[in-house]
Amino acid sequence: MCPQFEQVEREVQNMLDPFELDDSGQGVNPDRAVKRYRRSAAGNEQPLPSDVRPPHVLKFTLDYLFNDILMNYPLIKCHGFLWDRTRGIRQDFTLQNIRDESAVELHERIARFHILSRHELSNYDDEKFSEQQETEQLRKVLLSLMEFYDDLREQGIETKNEAEFRAYHMIIHIHDHGVARRMMGLPRHILHHPLLQRALKFYELVQRNNEIMETSERRNKFTNIEASPNMYSRVFKLVGDPHTSFLLAAMVEWHFPDIRKGALKAMNKAYNFHHRGVEVEYLRQVLGYDSVKHLLSDAECYGLVFDVSPTQTTIKFGQRTKGKRLFFVEPLSNPRPTKSMLLVDPKKGNRTFQQIVDGEGTEPYISTIQNIYQTLPSKLPSNGGPVLNHFQQDEQRIHKTSFVANKHMTPAQLHIQKQQAFEEEKARLQKRIRELEERKLLEQQQRLHQAQSESLRMEEDARKREQQREAEEQARREQQMEEVAAQRAREEQNKVEREQRLEALRKQAIASIQQHKRKRREEVIEGLGTQLTEEMLDALLEEESRIAALKTVHTMRLIKRRLLPRIARIRRNLEERRNRVVEENNVFELLSRLSKLSPNLGSDNPSNQKSWSLAVKQCLFAEGSALLRARRRSATPQHVWDTENVALKLYRYLQPDSPITARSCLTAMWHMYIHVDRDSPESLRWIIHKFGLDEEFMRRVERIQGLEIGIRAVYPESPLYNEAVSHTGAVIFALSELRETADGDDEFDLEYWRKQKSRITNFTSRLLRERPNFRTPFLFMYWPRTASLKETISKVDKTSYG
């Protein structure tokens, strides 16, 4: 029942329970020690598989706890020990994920133990018994049982006590309407079981519509049911009904404070405060209190008013505040449930705690409703006898007789006669009270006799039904045994045939495996020979290759050591010569173009010569700067495809103090057109990417220190505006990349050059229409298709483009 390591550990740590000590009271008794519950926390190690008890050990442990400990010690003394050890049993089931019939049986017994403990120990204070912890564990056990029942039903297994514990689960969640809805989905034989139907009846009667709304201080308030009938008296009558079992009544007993609060609150709204009040004995009987003292304690808690007189005590409802609102104190929590000695406790009958927990014996059908309606002696100081309804009329008759006598007697005689009349009337009333008590006692004895007779009759009927059910069950078991025997015979025959087939298949498989092994052995031998031969050849070739490579590397190193300095020197000389030639050619080309730029260049007019001299200097300065930048920049093929912000580079030459500032740069705007052919998608995509143009409007505008620099791509049919043309300082004209034929050379493709010339002419004429005196530099972008671009350029007559 307890691992050996835990026994030693707890003995050393002095954590043994008195029920686990040996006869000397000093050490542990292995036959009494039970594994305790260990909380799953960060500091606790996982239990070893050897320390987790199997189902049969768990059943033996639970039998020991309920048959020995529970039966031999008072419940209040051994409850803490049983509460912890049963929790440890449930923990071992959870660790092993066991959800079979054995788990169901043990969880059912543990659930009955919690229900019994909550009833028997409810009168103790929180130091000895925690109702909240008991209810929490009961909820967990019932939840596990509901999951077990659902899992077993999916496997086709039915349990005999499912309806009973479904009813307990319904009662403990009596204000959870989702649980009631889920009950409707149960199988018919479970849903219509008497216990579950009785639980549904309690669910119907307990609902009410006058619960206070939930706030931050008042939590866990249930939802009001507007159409609830508030039949609180029928709840207690149904609890006392003989067909309500003890455990089901004990479950409903937990809701008594809430039901009574709702009843008193309803009466407080229904009765008028000026009414003479409701007798406490009547309220005690209707609300199922064990004593008037308990009723008055609850009434005081809710702020109700008492009216104590010499003959009877009443509670007055309907008291209102100054604002004409009903006065009813809503405590933060309901009064603590107490053990009902009149309604619930007598339903145990003569059964022991072990029989109740194990579900053994026949449930005694005991009616306890008559216990409530007996007149109990009042414990109030101003009420000397039973609380009866006829006292008020008798008191009025006494006062009436005394009043008539006052008209004909002296005060002394009146006092004497009044005293005599009072004594006579008092004696007569005492005699009548004794007669009523004797009559009521006789009626109670008769009702008790009738109840006992009815109980005996019902027990006899139940015994007969049980015998009939056992006979039917025996016949059904015999039929099942016959069917099982026939099924086993068929299974044996099928087993023999299956073994024969398996034997034949086994022999065939053995022969096939042996043949496969022989073939595999031959293939392995052949493969190993081939592999060894190839590995030898590879090793030989690798060795020869290594020797040849070493010789080649030695020779290459020798040549490299001798030739590398000379090669580097020759390359430097060639690079310097190439740069000088390129620079001289560029300067020559620039001077040639400038000399043919205008016929006025050679004019004798001093003003023209001065302006053209300034223009030539500016162009030379710009060309020289561009050549220097081109020579310094180490361009790579990938550099052509990078997006560049051309405006930042142009801004340095567009400032007013720059040597190349043009006429159009003196304003706050400077534009550049890029003329493209719509039929050249590749070049258009490159231009958009390179200059970073907007794909929708084909333009880009940058503002740098008050200067707006705009770059716009236009088609031949795109509109040109006078203001934009007036601010244009440069034009890039992209020649078309498309050709009429796939083959050929641009040098001989006259049709291509006619089309490009037509485009240039059309575009320049449109610019001149907008601005007749328009002058600006053009940059042509050309995608060549020639055998030698340099040779083609040398053949071009540059004089025609001056």
Side-chain angles (χ1 to χ4, degrees), residues 5-16 28:
F5 175 77
E6 182 178 337
Q7 295 180 19
V8 177
E9 179 186 23
R10 288 167 54 196
E11 185 176 8
V12 172
Q13 296 177 356
N14 196 18
M15 297 177 62
L16 292 174
V28 62

Side-chain angles (χ1 to χ4, degrees), residues 738-771:
L738 298 180
R739 308 294 191 271
E740 295 293 329
T741 60
D743 301 324
D745 195 302
D746 288 344
E747 182 180 355
F748 309 104
D749 193 351
L750 300 179
E751 184 64 24
Y752 171 78
W753 294 110
R754 287 195 202 96
K755 290 183 178 180
Q756 304 310 311
K757 183 177 180 181
S758 175
R759 283 181 54 207
I760 298 171
T761 304
N762 183 31
F763 181 64
T764 54
S765 62
R766 292 177 62 193
L767 292 173
L768 292 174
R769 276 199 304 271
E770 298 296 331
R771 303 289 294 181

Side-chain angles (χ1 to χ4, degrees), residues 32-199:
R32 296 179 182 177
V34 181
K35 180 182 177 182
R36 65 191 292 266
Y37 172 77
R38 186 180 295 270
R39 188 181 301 276
S40 300
N44 295 334
E45 299 179 355
Q46 292 296 328
L48 297 174
S50 59
D51 293 344
V52 180
R53 297 166 290 183
H56 69 277
V57 177
L58 295 173
K59 184 178 184 305
F60 177 79
T61 304
L62 195 64
D63 291 340
Y64 165 73
L65 294 175
F66 290 158
N67 298 345
D68 293 353
I69 302 298
L70 182 61
M71 291 302 296
N72 296 327
Y73 297 93
L75 181 58
I76 187 61
K77 184 177 180 180
C78 64
H79 173 263
F81 178 74
L82 297 177
W83 186 88
D84 180 82
R85 298 316 188 258
T86 54
R87 195 176 179 189
I89 291 175
R90 292 192 289 115
Q91 185 183 41
D92 280 0
F93 272 114
T94 303
L95 290 174
Q96 301 174 82
N97 195 23
I98 298 177
R99 311 168 76 88
D100 56 3
E101 293 92 331
S102 62
V104 170
E105 177 188 355
L106 268 61
H107 278 73
E108 288 177 349
R109 296 171 65 186
I110 294 173
R112 292 193 190 101
F113 165 72
H114 287 304
I115 298 173
L116 176 66
S117 299
R118 198 171 64 167
H119 167 72
E120 293 292 334
L121 306 178
S122 58
N123 290 336
Y124 290 91
D125 55 14
D126 290 336
E127 294 182 358
K128 296 182 179 180
F129 174 71
S130 174
E131 178 196 357
Q132 185 270 335
Q133 293 183 1
E134 198 72 27
T135 304
E136 178 186 2
Q137 295 306 313
L138 177 58
R139 288 177 185 269
K140 291 181 179 180
V141 177
L142 291 176
L143 180 61
S144 299
L145 281 172
M146 299 305 107
E147 296 174 355
F148 293 165
Y149 293 145
D150 293 338
D151 293 345
L152 292 176
R153 182 171 292 109
E154 292 179 358
Q155 303 173 15
I157 301 174
E158 294 288 342
T159 55
K160 61 180 181 179
N161 297 325
E162 180 178 356
E164 175 188 353
F165 288 91
R166 292 278 185 186
Y168 300 155
H169 186 254
M170 178 77 198
I171 296 300
I172 202 170
H173 297 282
I174 201 163
H175 291 295
D176 189 347
H177 309 303
V179 175
R181 285 194 297 268
R182 288 192 291 272
M183 291 294 177
M184 299 298 105
L186 294 174
R188 186 178 183 84
H189 68 281
I190 300 295
L191 181 61
H192 291 278
H193 192 277
L195 278 175
L196 191 52
Q197 287 296 313
R198 182 56 55 94

